[in-house]
Amino acid sequence: MDWDLIAGQQLLKDQLKKSIQDQRISHAQLFLGKEGYGTLPLALAYAAEILQQENPTAAHRVSHLNHVDLHFSFPVFNQGKSSLSQQFFYQFREMILTNPYSSYDDWSSYLESENKQLFISSDEVDEQNKKFALKSFEGGSKILIIWRADKLNAPASNKLLKFLEEPPEKTVILLIAENSDDLLPTILSRTQLVEVPRLTDGELYDHLTSKYTLSDEQLKSIIHQSQGNLNTALRLMNQEGSTEFEELFVQWVRDAFQVKKRPEFLKNIIIWARSIAAWNREKQKNFLDYCAEMFRLAMIQNYGAENLVHRKIEGGGFNWESFSKFIHGANIESIITEINDADYHLQRNANAKIVWTDLGIKLSRYIHKSA
């Protein structure tokens, strides 16, 4: 991974490069931050720089993820009696070469594993222990990148701890995680923390305009919603021009309004829920994010801050201004809570039909609540 291909993070890039130049490379480091901030691209660029210092031809092989002294561990599901990363490395390599900012949900969708639990097992740590007990092929450093180390199960965490305590010579272990709460405190205490911050709006702007052609209005809307996350920005870009989410949101709102006086509209909500439940988990999550954002913007519209409303629904005869009057301080918290709860349950493989039906019906209760 070339440093120049990473969006923003210039200060962190300089710090990582300097640590190599000064030969202050900690044997175990934790890159902590959301995937859309650039944790994996930074770890890949860092690994390439370390190996390149030892062999000038190494960077090219790292960029193609085929360097013999660069190893990966990542969450997978049980296949047969084992759950080893190497069984899925071809798919992982293909995904990362396509988009090094890929998320855990992207990986789950890539494997079509929505109903399977992905984790890093103790067998995986044992396998890496065997590999790192051998000398490096090129005589220099051996590097292990553990992507989504927060998915280590308990036995794997304990075995990794021993690996961190007594690493083989010339070993560099780079852990990548979104949340340190899911890592053993003893693992945290044995790693050097590399905090990867959210991208600034300026960094997102520079990166997007260097690669894509967007209007100023589109850019403003995407950057505002992305909250410094490049993954979110790219997802929103893919939604631009698509009316599917908008149509389903409008359908939900209209049916929810009708249910109070005409219970027969409940059937429409059940059909609506079943159609969405058939999507993969990533698309369902994206639609939840879209709904949360539209309710939030409707409330802002209702309270007169129209200059902050960067996006409206105006097609299909939908009256945005009239709708916004029903979203206010007395119901917005309940609505967003229900959306967040639905997201939580979907991530834990709850029955999607039940989750969406429950969410669809509850809106009919909250949307009529008086301000």
Side-chain angles (χ1 to χ4, degrees):
M1 184 77 190
D2 194 311
W3 295 105
D4 294 335
L5 297 178
I6 301 172
Q9 307 293 8
Q10 191 58 51
L11 179 61
L12 192 49
K13 292 178 192 175
D14 293 340
Q15 291 173 351
L16 292 170
K17 290 178 187 176
K18 191 172 189 305
S19 72
I20 298 172
Q21 293 168 0
D22 296 344
Q23 298 184 342
R24 292 185 293 101
I25 303 172
S26 174
H27 83 276
Q29 301 180 46
L30 171 60
F31 287 69
L32 189 65
K34 293 187 181 297
E35 290 142 336
Y37 297 172
T39 46
L40 179 58
L42 285 165
L44 287 171
Y46 187 59
E49 188 79 18
I50 293 171
L51 295 170
Q52 187 178 16
Q53 293 294 318
E54 299 169 349
N55 183 342
T57 66
H60 175 73
R61 281 173 285 146
V62 173
S63 68
H64 289 82
L65 305 188
N66 60 6
H67 193 289
V68 289
D69 289 322
L70 177 62
H71 303 269
F72 293 88
S73 287
F74 43 84
V76 297
F77 53 79
N78 272 324
Q79 190 172 59
K81 295 183 179 180
S82 63
S83 52
L84 300 177
S85 298
Q86 65 184 12
Q87 296 172 302
F88 301 91
F89 181 70
Y90 175 80
Q91 295 97 316
F92 182 76
R93 179 177 181 268
E94 186 176 48
M95 181 185 76
I96 297 305
L97 290 178
T98 302
N99 176 21
Y101 286 83
S102 292
S103 67
Y104 174 81
D105 284 334
D106 292 332
W107 177 230
S108 180
S109 296
Y110 209 87
L111 292 179
E112 298 181 349
S113 63
E114 286 81 3
N115 296 320
K116 298 176 183 177
Q117 183 181 10
L118 302 185
F119 60 98
I120 300 176
S121 68
S122 59
D123 290 341
E124 172 68 19
V125 180
D126 286 339
E127 183 70 14
Q128 295 299 343
N129 269 320
K130 293 176 186 176
K131 291 179 181 179
F132 278 77
L134 304 173
K135 291 185 178 179
S136 67
F137 281 88
E138 297 192 348
S141 300
K142 293 185 75 171
I143 300 176
L144 171 62
I145 294 179
I146 304 179
W147 182 69
R148 290 312 299 259
D150 43 342
K151 299 298 181 181
L152 285 154
N153 65 17
S157 295
N158 290 321
K159 288 188 176 182
L160 178 64
L161 182 59
K162 293 180 180 179
F163 189 32
L164 295 174
E165 290 173 338
E166 300 177 5
E169 188 180 358
K170 290 188 175 181
T171 294
V172 179
I173 306 168
L174 307 178
L175 288 77
I176 299 172
E178 283 208 336
N179 193 336
S180 61
D181 294 342
D182 294 323
L183 291 169
L184 287 177
T186 43
I187 288 180
L188 294 174
S189 67
R190 285 164 177 77
T191 58
Q192 177 181 306
L193 180 61
V194 180
E195 291 191 84
V196 181
R198 58 160 285 177
L199 297 169
T200 66
D201 288 354
E203 288 171 336
L204 266 180
Y205 179 89
D206 291 341
H207 185 80
L208 293 177
T209 53
S210 70
K211 294 180 177 293
Y212 308 98
T213 302
L214 298 166
S215 68
D216 287 341
E217 184 179 348
Q218 286 176 313
L219 269 173
K220 181 181 177 183
S221 175
I222 289 169
I223 290 172
H224 179 82
Q225 294 177 74
S226 298
Q227 296 296 301
N229 190 317
L230 181 58
N231 272 344
T232 304
L234 295 175
R235 172 172 53 78
L236 290 168
M237 282 178 55
N238 290 333
Q239 289 177 14
E240 287 292 326
S242 172
T243 60
E244 184 178 22
F245 283 4
E246 180 176 302
E247 289 172 354
L248 285 167
F249 179 82
V250 170
Q251 179 187 341
W252 182 25
V253 169
R254 283 175 169 164
D255 288 339
F257 270 112
Q258 294 287 346
V259 164
K260 185 176 181 180
K261 293 182 179 180
R262 300 175 64 185
E264 63 268 23
F265 275 83
L266 182 62
K267 181 179 179 181
N268 292 348
I269 291 179
I270 294 172
I271 295 172
W272 171 89
R274 287 178 177 175
S275 65
I276 296 171
W279 297 345
N280 65 46
R281 189 173 63 180
E282 176 69 8
K283 187 174 180 181
Q284 292 181 54
K285 175 179 170 53
N286 292 344
F287 183 53
L288 285 171
D289 291 342
Y290 172 85
C291 292
E293 179 69 4
M294 298 317 296
F295 282 121
R296 189 184 68 83
L297 291 174
M299 185 190 68
I300 293 173
Q301 174 85 35
N302 188 19
Y303 285 108
E306 190 169 359
N307 60 313
L308 299 178
V309 180
H310 55 82
R311 187 176 188 176
K312 299 179 180 180
I313 297 176
E314 297 176 327
F318 188 75
N319 191 318
W320 173 260
E321 284 72 21
S322 295
F323 161 66
S324 67
K325 295 175 182 178
F326 288 87
I327 309 301
H328 42 71
N331 62 9
I332 186 65
E333 184 177 353
S334 297
I335 292 172
I336 298 300
T337 297
E338 293 298 340
I339 291 175
N340 290 337
D341 286 348
D343 186 32
Y344 175 87
H345 292 304
L346 289 172
Q347 287 184 36
R348 281 149 185 80
N349 297 318
N351 186 305
K353 290 181 182 179
I354 295 175
V355 172
W356 282 102
T357 301
D358 181 63
L359 178 63
I361 293 171
K362 282 179 176 175
L363 180 62
S364 64
R365 180 192 312 161
Y366 297 128
I367 206 164
H368 291 287
K369 190 171 183 179
S370 299

